[in-house]
Amino acid sequence: MENSSDAQQELEIRIAFLERHIQEQDQEIMRLNKRIDTLADRVQLYEKRFNDLFEGGSENRLNMSEKPPHY
């Protein structure tokens, strides 16, 4: 009888550990998703700025044949 009780207690300990582990993983995944969303927003912003710089009006266009003033 004692063996069955020990086995049950061991299983309960393992289940508690796994539940805590799953909860920690869920929290980490949520943090990573927020970070990915933030980075994706930044990439979109930089893509827009890049496109505005190179495809925008003539005042935003870089003249690649012009030498910078320090030359």
Side-chain angles (χ1 to χ4, degrees), residues 1-50:
M1 196 75 155
E2 186 178 278
N3 192 18
S4 175
S5 177
D6 289 344
Q8 182 179 355
Q9 186 177 6
E10 179 67 27
L11 288 174
E12 289 173 356
I13 291 170
R14 286 181 181 204
I15 289 171
F17 172 79
L18 290 173
E19 286 175 342
R20 191 180 96 221
H21 184 70
I22 289 169
Q23 186 179 31
E24 289 171 355
Q25 283 185 329
D26 288 347
Q27 290 172 354
E28 184 63 24
I29 288 170
M30 287 179 7
R31 280 192 293 268
L32 290 172
N33 279 336
K34 286 180 185 177
R35 189 160 186 203
I36 288 169
D37 290 343
T38 300
L39 292 172
D41 290 344
R42 285 185 187 176
V43 167
Q44 276 186 328
L45 176 65
Y46 293 144
E47 283 178 339
K48 183 182 180 319
R49 287 183 182 175
F50 181 82

